[in-house]
Amino acid sequence: MTVEVSVAGRPMTVEQEHDLADRLLRALTEAEQTPESTIESARELIHVLVGRPRAWATGGPAGPRYLVRVTVPGAWATAEFARTVVPLITDAIAGTEPDPTRLRREPHCVAQLIGLREHHVGTLGRATTSALTRLMTGGYRGVDDERTAPTGGAIDPVCGMVVDRATATITLIHDGVQHAFCSASCRKVVLEDVSMDPGAGSGGASGAAQQG
């Protein structure tokens, strides 16, 4: 994920720019009931850039303006993701202003969510799809999670986030157990693992997988 923040109408020192970037990074990675290993890996793959353009023309009253462009893999760019991320970004930026409620009253912080097409993002010298999700969740998937899901909830088997079963729209039935996922990218990791299982077609994991 790349978060690019353009700021106008507000002089900022280098320290203040770094503080704003750190605030946004923390806001985007401090999810409740998410394993610390997943959070730490996610922070390594999120990049927050803060700067001031030399020219910015827009209408309305004078005052600080913010344009935030969030670039993510296309599988992440969902309405649910936007509903979660836009308030987090807005409130993180608002917390650096004298009036932390202003950006909830005035449309002076615009956030744009941009989804990249599959295979149009890469790391480790190659284009990737689910590899980013694997990098972020490898620490969690490599250990046994002894937590018990709360009533009405489920633990995403890939990243460890707690998902509300009542509202979960991304699920998978595997070996007779229905799993719920926080995103399509986490579900894709399981589908890929299942498809590579050597027992496929002979009663193994692949043959038992189906969409919920």
Side-chain angles (χ1 to χ4, degrees):
M1 180 192 302
T2 303
V3 182
E4 301 170 271
V5 186
S6 297
V7 183
R10 174 185 173 182
M12 298 182 74
T13 64
V14 173
E15 291 74 17
Q16 288 173 325
E17 290 177 348
H18 276 290
D19 176 66
L20 178 55
D22 287 338
R23 280 175 175 267
L24 285 165
L25 181 61
R26 290 196 303 270
L28 293 169
T29 55
E30 290 182 347
E32 293 184 2
Q33 299 180 313
T34 299
E36 187 62 28
S37 60
T38 299
I39 291 176
E40 286 300 320
S41 296
R43 285 178 179 150
E44 189 175 1
L45 292 167
I46 295 177
H47 306 277
V48 183
L49 314 177
V50 177
R52 292 191 297 159
R54 295 180 61 182
W56 187 323
T58 187
R65 300 292 184 98
Y66 308 90
L67 176 62
V68 186
R69 296 168 65 90
V70 183
T71 306
V72 297
W76 300 11
T78 64
E80 183 177 357
F81 184 81
R83 285 192 294 268
T84 299
V85 167
V86 171
L88 290 176
I89 289 172
T90 303
D91 292 342
I93 294 175
T96 68
E97 290 210 327
D99 179 2
T101 67
R102 182 179 78 89
L103 298 182
R104 290 282 188 162
R105 301 191 312 270
E106 302 173 356
H108 292 174
C109 178
V110 176
Q112 300 174 342
L113 181 61
I114 302 167
L116 296 174
R117 294 175 59 188
E118 191 168 14
H119 304 295
H120 282 61
V121 62
T123 188
L124 303 177
R126 62 180 182 272
T128 62
T129 52
S130 62
L132 288 177
T133 303
R134 290 180 182 277
L135 285 172
M136 287 191 293
T137 61
Y140 170 75
R141 290 184 292 114
V143 301
D144 293 329
D145 190 348
E146 298 181 352
R147 293 177 300 160
T148 300
T151 303
I155 296 177
D156 185 318
V158 175
C159 69
M161 287 185 65
V162 174
V163 181
D164 184 355
R165 284 194 178 276
T167 58
T169 58
I170 305 172
T171 61
L172 180 75
I173 297 175
H174 179 212
D175 285 343
V177 178
Q178 185 179 56
H179 299 283
F181 301 89
C182 71
S183 67
S185 56
C186 280
R187 181 177 181 273
K188 184 175 182 180
V189 169
V190 173
L191 283 173
E192 289 177 347
D193 289 347
V194 165
S195 68
M196 291 186 293
D197 189 281
S202 59
S206 293
Q210 58 182 327
Q211 181 174 353

